[in-house]
Amino acid sequence: MLADNDKMVHREPYRMADRPDDDRDDDREDDREIGVKLATRPKTKRPPLYKVLILNDDYTPMEFVVHVLERFFGMTHAQAFELMLTVHKKGLAVVGVFSYEIAETKVALVMDYAQRHQHPLQCTMEKE
């Protein structure tokens, strides 16, 4: 129960556009709408891609190139053998297309591996 000093205050519900002390005319009532503001995010661009290339030389054994393609690029033996022949005949071949960081890492790994095994195999990257 309410005490004598307590008065029950009745407030009308209001919308987001309304303010409790809003003194606007009632004829503008239909202009107010309830809604959800949708935040639009800017579209993110895809990162540029880079081709990883293997170059032919006269000293690196074909079997070593096949091994590198299997080990660092996840190719099957048949895929690696076919690509190795392309490198041998055309002088170079695209081994894969990757983001900059992945392409850079693969090139570094292949170059380091070839150097540790004393082969002059060259691997480079270029923007697609």
Side-chain angles (χ1 to χ4, degrees), residues 48-60:
L49 297 177
Y50 291 79
K51 298 185 283 191
V52 175
L53 305 145
I54 295 266
L55 307 175
N56 187 39
D57 65 71
D58 294 333
Y59 302 103
T60 304

Side-chain angles (χ1 to χ4, degrees), residues 62-72 77 80 113 117:
M62 292 179 178
E63 294 81 20
F64 184 78
V65 176
V66 170
H67 176 69
V68 165
L69 295 172
E70 291 172 347
R71 179 175 178 149
F72 296 104
H77 185 75
Y113 190 74
H117 289 86

Side-chain angles (χ1 to χ4, degrees), residues 95-114:
V95 180
V97 180
F98 308 97
S99 67
Y100 180 82
E101 291 81 10
I102 294 173
E104 182 180 45
T105 302
K106 291 205 181 265
V107 167
L109 289 171
V110 169
M111 294 295 290
D112 181 58
Y113 190 74

Side-chain angles (χ1 to χ4, degrees), residues 17-103:
D18 295 338
R19 284 173 265 143
D21 58 334
D22 199 355
D23 293 339
R24 292 187 293 177
D25 295 337
D26 286 338
D27 61 327
R28 294 183 62 193
E29 183 73 29
D30 56 304
D31 290 344
R32 294 180 236 151
E33 294 181 17
I34 298 175
V36 176
K37 181 180 178 185
L38 299 176
T40 57
R41 289 192 279 170
K43 286 193 173 184
T44 54
K45 288 194 302 185
R46 290 187 158 270
L49 297 177
Y50 291 79
K51 298 185 283 191
V52 175
L53 305 145
I54 295 266
L55 307 175
N56 187 39
D57 65 71
D58 294 333
Y59 302 103
T60 304
M62 292 179 178
E63 294 81 20
F64 184 78
V65 176
V66 170
H67 176 69
V68 165
L69 295 172
E70 291 172 347
R71 179 175 178 149
F72 296 104
F73 298 97
M75 296 184 181
T76 65
H77 185 75
Q79 291 170 327
F81 188 81
E82 188 175 328
L83 195 62
M84 177 274 302
L85 287 177
T86 302
V87 171
H88 184 67
K89 291 176 184 173
K90 296 189 177 183
L92 64 96
V94 176
V95 180
V97 180
F98 308 97
S99 67
Y100 180 82
E101 291 81 10
I102 294 173

